[in-house]
Amino acid sequence: MTLSTPLLVTFSAYLLLMVGIGFIAWRRTRTFDDYILGGRSLGSYVTALAAGASDMSGWLMMGLPGALYLGGASEAWIAVGLVIGAWCNWKYVAGPLRVYTERARNALTLPDYFTHRFADDTRILRILAAVVILAFALVLAARGGVGERLRGMALEGGSAPGLRLALAEESLRAAGAAPLTGFGAGNFGAVYAMVTRLHHPVYHVLHPESDVVWLVFECGVLMLLAVVILAGWWAFESGPWTRQGEGGRRGARADLRLRRAAGIVTGLALLHALFDVPLHRPAYFMVAAVTAALALKPERLTAATGRAGRCFFRSAGTAVLALGAVYLGLHLGVWLPPSGTTAGVLHDRAVAESAAGRHSAALADMEKAVALAPLNFRMYFLRAQLQLKLRQPAEQALMDFSRARALEPGHAGMCFDEGLYWLGFRPLFAIIPWRECLRRDPEAAQGIHGFYQRMLNSMGQHPELAEPLWQLASQVELQILYLRSAPGGEMWQARLDKVLAANPRLRMTDKAGLRMIFDAWALKGDSTKLEAGLRQHPEWQTYGWRHLAAAEAREGRFREACDLAAAHLPASARSTSLGVADIPRLERVVLLNPEDARPAVELYYAQRASGDYKAALRNLEKIATLPNPPDFLQREMAAMHMQLEDYQRAWEILRGIIGASS
């Protein structure tokens, strides 16, 4: 992403404002009370604004208007109830709580208040309050999508549910090839795709969903052991946390509280690293490092630091500042140091330059990016695209595309995209990646929305692809998709004959494809062979009966055509009964309610049950003139014509029903 001037100015001003507020607050913070409650010096307006901003989240701007939109004005009672509840809270709870928390040994949190207010020496109230807070926090986090995040796995372009544990297991298995030293820092994205057996055909795996697994994969068990030793040293030097300090002084207690809070935050960060990758984010890592330092015992900081220690910490601080300057300059485009991050910046800049028509400059950037990240498939893919845009030799671009496919051996979507790109330059070259796409993900190739059908859509503009695409259809499901899309003629019938010769009974898992092939056969192929095949294979008639019935009608056998349609069309649903079976009484009801179709339909069923088909048919014809006649009316009229042996008229009605349902 390129930073525009307004965006950079806005972000810089916001960052400076936050740093300034933090600095002022730090200068005014002397005790733990100041840190938690601002020294109880906040005014009413600040307190109200802070409480309102913490309580009113996105539901106020989106949820409440959405509820009013869906439920109407009655949902306004939500706002009324909230206003009354907030008023009661501030009127009857906030004031006494403010007074009694200060009297109860200056309690800073509600668990503290309960403990001191009721003199709970066993701390059961404190533990119970913490459990309740934790339970509701977990429920809130689960409703926010954290559950799906824990069950899914991070992918480029989306998330795949249920693969998190499988990804961690596969990453550890692959790390067994280099258990001590790993595959090198920063190489997960490039190496994992080539060593894994768990390929995702559409997405590229970004990371193993665990900082610990990521560390083992890239740096090996030796580095993990060093990290464990460091964490153990930190735990030893920051504990024990139950000691009250020097004589139980207030300052010592405040220091102990601060260290406990910092230790809990650091412990949660380390726990988070088991199930996600937060420590790979610089900002998160710096916060965790600061809290880890705050959790150390004061005794570790009393001794004067020697010259070597001072030099070390000054050098480390200078290195952090230099690293920040490097990254800032990198993203501003001031300089491009040789690193994998620089390769990503060059890639994004090349995309922007290519969109602006500067393909030569974009290709120059990609040459540098490939040199910096030779195992990143995206670099070769974009360089190949630029080579084609600049009309360089197609073989050279094909070589880069091949490198990208080799570096990402399970990515079927990339192969499909490569084929689409070739259509604008050398259409026949598209068959190379498309063949690989079908091999990598044969399941996603099937169906009218699958990869193969999307390939077939290109035949209209590139007829030279007709024969190569037919050669790619190695399964009967793909062959049927081809026949559905290909133009008719002798070649079409010849290919259908090949399909029938290899699979005479057309046995396939996708039953929808059977109707597809019969429809295409009737439209593009030899209809005589179709009719013969439907008669020879009665099991085909479930999907091709429409064409056989039409053939029977063309030859004047309307009764056979009607029998086929009646056997395969869904039966009409009978309307609800009035409970009156007396025909004269129903006739009077119809006479008194000429615009009501329901009694007329009941009269029809009574007439049909009595065998008076002519009267039933006349009644149906009258119902058809009413507004909004029942959907099953045409079906019943066809049935009455069949009862009266007027099969030609019945077929005309059934043909309309068939056409409407196709």
Side-chain angles (χ1 to χ4, degrees), residues 522-535:
L523 183 64
K524 305 175 183 180
D526 189 339
S527 59
T528 304
K529 290 185 177 181
L530 172 61
E531 296 162 14
L534 289 170
R535 290 191 173 94

Side-chain angles (χ1 to χ4, degrees), residues 27 52 84 131 138 143 182 192 217 291-292 297 323 325 331-332 380 416 424 431 454 512 542 555 580 625-626 661:
R27 295 283 296 179
I84 294 175
V131 169
L138 289 176
R143 290 298 300 272
Y192 175 81
F217 188 94
T291 57
K297 290 183 294 187
L323 185 62
H331 288 283
L332 293 178
Y380 294 103
F416 177 76
I431 300 299
R454 292 157 68 186
T542 304
E555 296 176 6
V580 181
T625 63
L626 296 177
S661 62

Side-chain angles (χ1 to χ4, degrees), residues 518-519 522 527-538 540-555 557 560-562 564-565 568 651 658:
F518 293 135
D519 291 344
S527 59
T528 304
K529 290 185 177 181
L530 172 61
E531 296 162 14
L534 289 170
R535 290 191 173 94
Q536 183 180 358
H537 300 282
W540 291 4
Q541 294 182 14
T542 304
Y543 309 97
W545 64 268
R546 295 171 177 79
H547 308 294
L548 183 57
E552 298 284 11
R554 284 195 301 269
E555 296 176 6
R557 296 192 289 271
E560 289 78 2
C562 291
L564 272 171
H568 292 93
W651 170 249
I658 294 171

Side-chain angles (χ1 to χ4, degrees), residues 570-573 575 597 601 623 628-637 653 657 660:
S572 59
S575 64
V601 170
I623 298 173
N628 301 318
D631 295 335
F632 57 84
L633 190 64
Q634 295 295 321
R635 184 79 165 80
E636 294 296 334
M637 291 179 68
I653 297 174
I657 297 174

Side-chain angles (χ1 to χ4, degrees), residues 305-320:
T305 305
R307 178 177 297 179
R310 290 195 298 271
C311 291
F312 172 78
F313 285 110
R314 288 171 181 171
S315 301
T318 304
V320 170

Side-chain angles (χ1 to χ4, degrees), residues 289-309:
V290 170
T291 57
L294 287 174
L296 292 175
K297 290 183 294 187
E299 291 82 354
R300 300 298 306 175
L301 307 175
T302 55
T305 305
R307 178 177 297 179

Side-chain angles (χ1 to χ4, degrees), residues 280-297:
H280 274 74
R281 303 183 183 98
Y284 194 106
F285 176 80
M286 293 301 295
V287 171
V290 170
T291 57
L294 287 174
L296 292 175
K297 290 183 294 187

Side-chain angles (χ1 to χ4, degrees), residues 456-469:
L456 294 173
N457 295 338
S458 64
M459 281 197 304
Q461 296 181 341
H462 304 283
E464 66 272 23
L465 295 178
E467 181 60 28
L469 285 173

